[in-house]
Every structure is written in C-alpha cells, then in structure tokens.
C-alpha cells in the first residue's frame, strides 16, 4: 500500500457537511447557558449573582465524573453504531431538561437551577462525546479529521450566530424570550440533524480491542501530547469563559450599549465563521499546533485593549470583537482535530480504539474551565462589591478584560512549549478494515 494514499481524506464534502449538522443545534445552547441564563436567574428571578455563579459552577463540576464515564462507556458499547446509539439516547434527556431549565416559573430556587442544569448537561454530554469521537473515527487521516472538525465547528458557529441574532430576529432583548426561542429551535433541529448525520456518516466496521486500565493508564499518564493539549485547552477555555459570562454586564454597564448586544455577538461569531476556512488552510500549511497557538496570541493581543474602554466606546469594542472573533474558528476546530490525532496515535501504540475516553477528557477540560470561569467571574465581582447597574465599573472592566489575557498567554506558552505536532504520525486505520 502506498503510504501517501492513506493521508488522503476519504469522505466527500457532502458527508463532511452532513456529519456537521448536529453541531448547529447543539451550539444554540452556548450563548443562552453562558450569557443569558446566569443574569436571568440572578436578576430577573432574584437569586443573586454569587449564588447563581456557584450553582452553575457546581453543575459543571459534575462533568469531572460524567465526561470520562460517558466516554469510557461509549468505547465499550458493542456493535458498529455505538456512537450513534448513545447520541440517540441522550436527546430525550436533553430536550426534556431544557424545557424546565429555559422556561422556569417565577418562584423557582437554586435547587431547581442546579438539578435541571445537571440533567441538561448530562444529556448534552451523552450526545456531544460520541459525536466528537465519531469525528475521530469516520475519516482516520490527519487532514480528514481536520475537515470533519471544521465541518462540525463551522456549523456550530452558524448555530451560535443564530443564537446571537435571536434578539434581533425576535425584536426583544428579554432573556426569557431568547431562552424560550432557543428551546423550540433545539427541539426541532437537533433530531433532524441527528437523523441526517446518522444516515450519511460511517462508523468503523472493525475496532481494536481496548486494553485494561492497568495497561491503559500508563499510556495516558505518560502521553506528553495529551498533557500539553489538555493544559492549553483548559487555560484557553477559561480565558474565553470569563468574558462570555460577563458579556451582558460589560456591554450594558461599562459601555452603555445594551441595544447593541445582538449585533456585537453577531459580529464576533460571524468573524469566527469567516476565518474558519483560513485557519484550516493555515493548519495544513504550518501544522495544527502552530496555527492554534497563533490564534490564541491574536485573541490575547486584541483583547488586551478591552479594559481601557468606557461608556460609548462601541465602535472600538466592535473592532475588538471582530479581531478576537477571528481566532474563534481555530479554537473550536483545531484542538478537537489534534485530540483525534492523539487518540489515533494512542490506538497504534496499544491503547485500542478509545476515542470516547480521549474526548471525554477534552470535554472535562472544557466544562471544568467554563465552570471555573463562571465562578471566578461572578465571584471576583461579588468580592469587589459590584452589582449590575453600579456606576463604578472598574472591577467589571478588569475582570472582563485583564484576566482573560493572562490566561491566554499561559495557554499559548503551553501550546508552543509543551504540545508537539501530531500530523507526522502515519494513520494505520486503512490497514485494519475501516470502511469509508
């Protein structure tokens, strides 16, 4: 067999796009859960910033358990369509939980937010982990994995833009109206996207047997690539999560530009969509690791100007949103593609086909970072005595703008110094019976 042939992507563009369709409705949760949901429960339902931040942080901390467990189990489900079966099982749980979480009564308490948040995040995990794992297996070539990740995350960005544009489309900035619209879109689009993906995306016909934990744990423990990726990914997501949680307050209280919320979000995520094909091309030319590191530095440089903005500086903030948004496509697609490569290398080194576990660890890093981000963001403001609507917004500006830059720089250092390239590893899946 010609080794060069095994590096040629094996799926058509139609298959790549069809695989990515569930990413659109899944992304609709992002802005509501991190931008609209916290201030809605904290302010409109009167539960308080610190209490809501703590409750949401605790719900995400459960992912420390659920993500690795779901990933571990998804690798052990028998049959060829193990990833798709688990996704189908998670959909009813997610949609039912969102009904209660996004449409609460006025007299709910923190326990209500906590419990329905737990259920919704578990359902999301049961869908997302096998979904990303399938992207590591459907096309085993390094560039093929990047195409699948880019297709998934590109449509996820479209879903995010749709969520960002909802206030404009609805003609209402009220969080309750936005959250209700998100639920109905999820309930309709998620099952439709899943059916299209399931009908067109192949799963491997043959799986390598998994090693037991006594032999598998050392492979994880001594995997330098995995450590570098998870460390950089955690810090970068922490840097992204703090401004996401505080975005509404920063725009309304610091800039005095609440009417521009939807347009600013649309600009940020629109820039991410536009830049995604460019980052994919850059990654193929200079490598995924270097491309991702460059995108992190770009975001850090652009965001360093945010703390200096004040009332009325909407144009300058829009420029920051556009430039920092350019790095978003790389943030979403490249780490997942790198992790798919790392899982493939682990499989060839004797770990078996356990992509679910690897993406469980990546999901754990994501959710732990976002949980800490909400807790840190709201906690720092609470310690500083800041409340929504205060005239002195210094603490808000520093928390929103300065902390993310520090974490971004630390993430870039890990990516450049601790993570090593993955593209040079020759995929061997074509040699063991995987069907295209």
């Amino acid at each position: 067999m010609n080794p060069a042939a095994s590096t040629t992507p094996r799926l058509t563009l139609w298959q790549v796009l069809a695989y990515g369709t569930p990413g659109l409705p899944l992304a609709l949760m992002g802005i509501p859960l991190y931008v609209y949901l916290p201030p809605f429960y904290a302010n409109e339902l009167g539960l308080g910033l610190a209490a809501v931040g703590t409750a949401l942080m605790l719900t995400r901390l459960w992912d420390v358990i659920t993500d690795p467990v779901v990933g571990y189990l998804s690798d052990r489900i028998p049959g060829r369509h193990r990833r798709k079966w688990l996704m189908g099982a998670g959909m009813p749980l997610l949609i039912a939980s969102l009904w209660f979480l996004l449409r609460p009564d006025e007299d709910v308490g923190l326990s209500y937010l906590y419990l329905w948040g737990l259920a919704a995040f578990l359902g999301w995990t049961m869908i997302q982990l096998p979904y990303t794992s399938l992207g590591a297996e459907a096309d085993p070539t390094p560039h093929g994995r990047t195409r699948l990740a880019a297709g998934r995350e590109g449509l996820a960005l479209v879903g995010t833009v749709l969520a960002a544009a909802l206030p404009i489309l609805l003609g209402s900035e009220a969080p309750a109206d936005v959250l209700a619209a998100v639920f109905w879109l999820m309930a309709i689009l998620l099952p439709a996207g899943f059916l299209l993906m399931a009908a067109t995306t192949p799963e491997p016909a043959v799986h390598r047997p998994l090693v037991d934990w006594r032999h598998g744990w050392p492979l994880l423990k001594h995997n330098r690539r995995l450590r570098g990726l998870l460390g950089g990914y955690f810090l970068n997501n922490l840097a992204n999560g703090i401004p996401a949680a505080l975005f509404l307050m920063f725009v309304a209280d610091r800039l005095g530009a609440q009417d521009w919320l939807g347009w600013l979000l649309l600009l940020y995520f629109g820039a991410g969509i536009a830049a995604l094909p460019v980052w994919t091309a850059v990654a193929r030319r200079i490598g995924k690791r270097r491309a991702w590191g460059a995108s992190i530095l770009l975001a850090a440089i652009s965001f360093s100007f945010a703390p200096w903005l004040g009332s009325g500086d909407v144009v300058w903030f829009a420029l920051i949103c556009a430039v920092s948004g350019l790095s978003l496509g790389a943030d979403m697609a490249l780490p997942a593609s790198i992790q798919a490569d790392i899982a493939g290398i682990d499989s060839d080194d004797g770990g078996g086909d356990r992509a679910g576990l690897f993406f469980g660890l990546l999901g754990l890093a994501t959710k732990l970072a976002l949980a800490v981000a909400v807790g840190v963001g709201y906690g720092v403001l609470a310690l500083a005595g800041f409340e929504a609507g205060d005239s002195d917004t210094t603490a808000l500006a520093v928390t929103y703008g300065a902390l993310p830059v520090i974490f971004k720089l630390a993430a870039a250092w890990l990516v450049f110094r601790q993570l090593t390239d993955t593209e040079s590893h020759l995929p061997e899946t074509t040699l063991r019976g995987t069907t295209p």
Side-chain angles (χ1 to χ4, degrees):
M1 172 179 236
N2 180 8
S6 66
T7 65
T8 303
R10 309 170 83 195
L11 301 186
T12 65
L13 178 61
W14 161 247
Q15 288 176 299
V16 170
L17 293 175
Y19 164 77
T21 50
L24 192 155
L26 287 172
L28 288 171
M29 292 176 58
I31 288 178
L33 291 184
Y34 295 107
V35 176
Y36 288 99
L37 192 71
F40 176 65
Y41 274 84
N43 299 327
E44 297 193 21
L45 299 183
L47 300 184
L49 287 175
V52 168
T54 300
L56 290 175
M57 181 175 68
L58 291 175
T59 62
R60 301 320 303 264
L61 288 176
W62 274 103
D63 292 323
V64 173
I65 299 174
T66 59
D67 274 51
V69 169
V70 170
Y72 177 87
L73 292 177
S74 74
D75 292 332
R76 283 158 174 76
I77 295 175
R80 181 173 179 178
H81 300 292
R82 56 184 183 175
R83 311 295 186 193
K84 296 171 186 175
W85 281 115
L86 188 56
M87 289 179 67
M91 279 197 299
L93 176 60
L94 176 60
I95 293 173
S97 302
L98 288 178
W99 169 263
F100 294 98
L101 185 64
L102 302 183
R103 298 173 56 85
D105 295 329
E106 294 182 358
D107 58 348
V108 301
L110 284 174
S111 60
Y112 181 96
L113 170 63
Y114 177 68
L115 292 175
W116 285 115
L118 280 179
F121 289 135
L122 177 59
W124 190 88
T125 296
M126 291 173 63
I127 299 172
Q128 185 69 16
L129 283 185
Y131 181 39
T132 52
S133 301
L134 179 58
E137 298 172 339
D139 191 328
T141 66
H143 184 56
R145 290 164 178 156
T146 301
R147 292 174 74 228
L148 285 171
R152 179 182 67 238
E153 303 305 335
L155 285 169
L157 282 172
V158 173
T160 303
V161 169
L162 176 59
L166 281 177
I168 301 171
L169 298 175
L170 296 173
S172 172
E173 296 279 356
D177 295 336
V178 174
L179 294 175
V182 166
F183 168 77
W184 289 112
L185 287 171
M186 284 283 295
I188 295 170
L189 296 179
L190 183 57
F194 168 73
L195 290 175
L196 178 60
M197 182 278 300
T200 57
T201 304
E203 287 197 52
V206 178
H207 298 289
R208 283 182 173 177
L210 299 171
V211 295
D212 60 52
W213 67 269
R214 290 170 298 180
H215 296 93
W217 169 245
L219 290 175
L220 293 177
K221 181 180 178 181
H222 300 297
N223 192 325
R224 180 180 176 183
R225 289 187 179 96
L226 180 62
R227 295 198 307 270
L229 175 65
L230 293 180
Y233 193 66
F234 172 83
L235 290 172
N236 190 53
N237 276 281
L238 179 58
N240 292 337
I242 292 174
L246 303 180
F247 180 80
L248 287 180
M249 284 191 289
F250 183 83
V251 173
D253 296 338
R254 180 71 174 181
L255 302 181
Q258 188 168 1
D259 293 340
W260 290 90
L261 283 170
W263 291 108
L264 290 169
L265 287 171
L266 189 62
L267 177 62
Y268 175 72
F269 291 109
I273 294 175
L276 182 57
V278 177
W279 287 117
T280 302
V282 169
R284 191 169 193 182
R285 184 175 183 83
I286 68 173
K288 304 175 191 180
R289 175 181 66 91
R290 295 180 183 88
W292 183 36
S295 76
I296 295 173
L297 289 178
L298 175 64
I301 293 170
S302 63
F303 216 71
S304 64
F305 295 96
W308 306 102
L309 301 182
S311 179
D313 291 334
V314 182
V315 174
W316 290 109
F317 185 65
L319 180 61
I320 292 173
C321 288
V323 177
S324 62
L326 294 176
S327 69
L328 183 63
D331 276 349
M332 296 182 70
L334 296 184
S337 181
I338 293 171
Q339 183 73 319
D341 290 345
I342 293 173
I345 295 170
D346 172 79
S347 179
D348 290 338
D349 287 343
D353 287 337
R354 49 178 182 170
L357 176 60
F358 275 76
F359 279 95
L361 295 173
L362 196 67
L364 185 156
T366 303
K367 296 172 185 178
L368 184 60
L370 295 177
V372 173
V374 173
V376 168
Y378 280 75
V380 169
L381 293 183
L383 288 174
F386 177 82
E387 294 286 346
D390 286 355
S391 57
D392 185 358
T393 57
T394 303
L396 175 61
V398 172
T399 307
Y400 179 87
L403 284 181
V405 173
I406 296 172
F407 292 126
K408 283 277 185 184
L409 293 175
W413 183 87
L414 280 176
V415 170
F416 283 118
R417 297 301 298 270
Q418 300 296 316
L419 183 60
T420 56
D421 293 326
T422 58
E423 289 91 340
S424 60
H425 182 79
L426 179 66
E428 299 180 5
T429 314
T430 52
L431 303 177
R432 64 174 191 264
T434 299
T435 58

